[in-house]
Amino acid sequence: MAVMNDLSLSTRSATPADLDEVLAFWKVAAEGTSISDDGDGVARVVERDPEALILAEREGELVGTVIAGFDGWRCHLYRLAVHPDQRRRGVGSALLAAAEERFAALGGRRADAMVLDRNTSAHHAWRAAGYGPEPQWSRWVKHLTD
């Protein structure tokens, strides 16, 4: 992964050793929860696609995450989370740049993002990065476990 212009900010792929820290980080920095927000769920992501979970670090501290999943056809972004003390300091932009670089290298042509409707502060960040909602689509979900 790349080191950004801010030399104290870098991005890299997560390893299994990072997973407990990532889960604790999401409790502070992520909006909403997911059925997959547990050790097994995140471990499966890293095991299946070791480059999908991208971490941003500043001076050795975890300051942001994004999951950049690619299924061979579509590029999906999940869990863009930036520590509240680090927002508006380029962390989200660095994570999205790393994710988009990954997608381009894999042959991806369009990325989509899971963004909560109620998370209006995130809407501004996504729009600033060039993303926009597609009102003709809705997410349909079926939980496969209880």
Side-chain angles (χ1 to χ4, degrees):
M1 294 287 151
V3 173
M4 306 299 118
N5 289 337
D6 174 354
L7 296 179
S8 67
L9 182 65
S10 62
T11 59
R12 68 174 176 86
S13 299
T15 69
D18 297 312
L19 301 186
D20 289 339
E21 183 180 12
V22 167
L23 287 166
F25 177 81
W26 285 344
K27 289 180 181 177
V28 173
E31 180 73 24
T33 58
S34 167
I35 194 171
S36 301
D37 284 359
D38 59 32
D40 290 339
V42 180
R44 277 191 299 276
V45 169
V46 172
E47 182 179 319
R48 181 182 177 281
D49 186 350
E51 295 179 357
L53 176 53
I54 302 170
L55 308 181
E57 297 174 320
R58 180 169 271 134
E59 298 175 8
E61 295 294 320
L62 180 61
V63 295
T65 67
V66 69
I67 297 174
F70 182 66
D71 61 15
W73 183 38
R74 293 196 178 167
C75 307
H76 304 287
L77 294 163
Y78 309 91
R79 278 298 187 222
L80 177 63
V82 176
H83 191 281
D85 294 342
Q86 295 290 317
R87 292 181 182 153
R88 304 194 59 79
R89 294 185 59 200
V91 176
S93 296
L95 286 164
L96 290 177
E100 291 167 2
E101 180 181 302
R102 168 179 156 71
F103 292 152
L106 292 169
R109 297 182 290 177
R110 178 182 67 190
D112 63 53
M114 298 292 300
V115 183
L116 288 171
D117 288 340
R118 71 174 186 261
N119 191 354
T120 56
S121 61
H123 297 180
H124 299 292
W126 284 104
R127 280 192 176 90
Y131 291 79
E134 289 189 325
Q136 71 273 25
W137 297 101
S138 293
R139 181 176 180 220
W140 292 38
V141 175
K142 176 183 178 182
H143 291 271
L144 302 176
T145 61
D146 293 331

